[in-house]
Amino acid sequence: MENRRPLIAGNWKMFKTCSEAVETTRRLLTLLEKNVDTDVMIAPPFTALAAVANIAKGSLISVGAQNLFWEKEGAYTGEISAPMIASAGCKYVIIGHSERRRYFGDTDQTVNRKIAAAIQNDLIPIFCVGESEKERESKETFSVLDKQVKKGLENFSSNDLKTLVIAYEPVWAIGTGKTATRIQAQEAHAFLRSKLVKCFGNKLAKSIRILYGGSVKPNNISELMAMPDVDGALVGGASLDAETFRKIIDFQT
Ligand code: PEP
């Protein structure tokens, strides 16, 4: 994994009220006292961001949002901007999750604008890419990843992308219990890194963390993390329970 610091990120999706999110965070804080080798992020719903960030302040846990809208402010009912997310105490923001692409119309172009807004506001973007089951079956995995990265990162310089995190999340593995094998994950991650080398040079490509996401559980995290280009995980379902998430954070390779 070279010198990339592992990142285990929890995406809580549309689960947990504010008080439930605070309770889970408190529990996680007590469980994580000794963990120092891995970066940890949790992404609660917008309504709990400030409360969770407040209790996680100064701890090992960073907080992230699950989405943003690229404008700073304005008549955009229901949307949340990058400055609002930053001011709630967030360090990260998940962008282009397949559920956003599938249900809420996110495209490679809107994802590109969202990444730009995140960077301008010093938020670390976790940029999600991944192929559907049909695309994998028709051997289009690499061409899909190629297009998503090309369009999603269009017009950025390597300086802009210093903090970027990519999450490879095969759509067929999200919330389905089907995990990519460690070989499939490594192949996709290596492909993504080679694409980054071509677009932004070796130095940046070697420093960008590429997370795997898709039914990560305590019993499969270690084998995934043992792969050279897997630098962490984006965890959905298994991040909702503090004890289970702690087991993932404490992976051993
Ligand atoms: C996700 O939400 O990004 C995810 C990977 O979900 P799950 O771990 O539940 O498959």
Side-chain angles (χ1 to χ4, degrees), residues 50-191:
V52 166
N54 203 22
I55 57 165
K57 205 171 179 177
S59 77
L60 294 163
I61 302 178
S62 298
V63 180
Q66 300 174 18
N67 180 38
L68 59 70
F69 183 57
W70 55 80
E71 294 294 344
K72 185 172 157 244
E73 59 184 10
Y76 302 105
T77 303
E79 292 298 322
I80 309 281
S81 72
M84 290 169 184
I85 289 166
S87 77
C90 290
K91 182 170 172 187
Y92 292 87
V93 57
I94 300 170
I95 294 178
H97 191 280
S98 65
E99 288 153 15
R100 302 260 2 138
R101 293 179 191 255
R102 179 167 177 201
Y103 302 119
F104 303 103
D106 279 18
T107 63
D108 293 332
Q109 287 70 27
T110 62
V111 164
N112 179 269
R113 295 186 76 172
K114 291 181 180 197
I115 294 173
I119 293 166
Q120 275 155 21
N121 289 278
D122 293 325
L123 291 165
I124 300 176
I126 302 184
F127 165 39
C128 302
V129 295
E131 81 287 0
S132 67
E133 186 152 38
K134 197 162 149 248
E135 288 161 343
R136 176 161 282 269
E137 277 164 8
S138 48
K139 309 222 175 315
E140 289 171 67
T141 299
F142 293 157
S143 63
V144 168
L145 296 179
D146 188 81
K147 179 176 152 284
Q148 288 174 337
V149 170
K150 183 164 166 258
K151 301 261 183 215
L153 301 183
E154 201 158 29
N155 297 326
F156 292 121
S157 68
S158 42
N159 197 43
D160 294 329
L161 303 179
K162 280 191 311 253
T163 63
L164 179 77
V165 174
I166 293 185
Y168 168 60
E169 299 211 302
V171 180
W172 48 271
I174 298 179
T176 58
K178 285 190 213 169
T179 319
T181 65
R182 63 203 170 97
I183 309 290
Q184 287 170 325
Q186 170 57 26
E187 255 174 21
H189 286 222
F191 174 82

Side-chain angles (χ1 to χ4, degrees), residues 11-13 94 97-99 128 169 173-178 212-217 234-239:
N11 172 16
W12 288 358
K13 312 193 188 206
I94 300 170
H97 191 280
S98 65
E99 288 153 15
C128 302
E169 299 211 302
I174 298 179
T176 58
K178 285 190 213 169
Y212 169 77
S215 300
V216 171
K217 305 277 182 263
L234 181 53
V235 186
S239 70

Side-chain angles (χ1 to χ4, degrees), residues 59 62 81 86 197-198 210 231 233 240 251:
S59 77
S62 298
S81 72
V197 171
K198 272 188 229 139
I210 306 180
D231 307 314
L240 292 168
F251 69 89

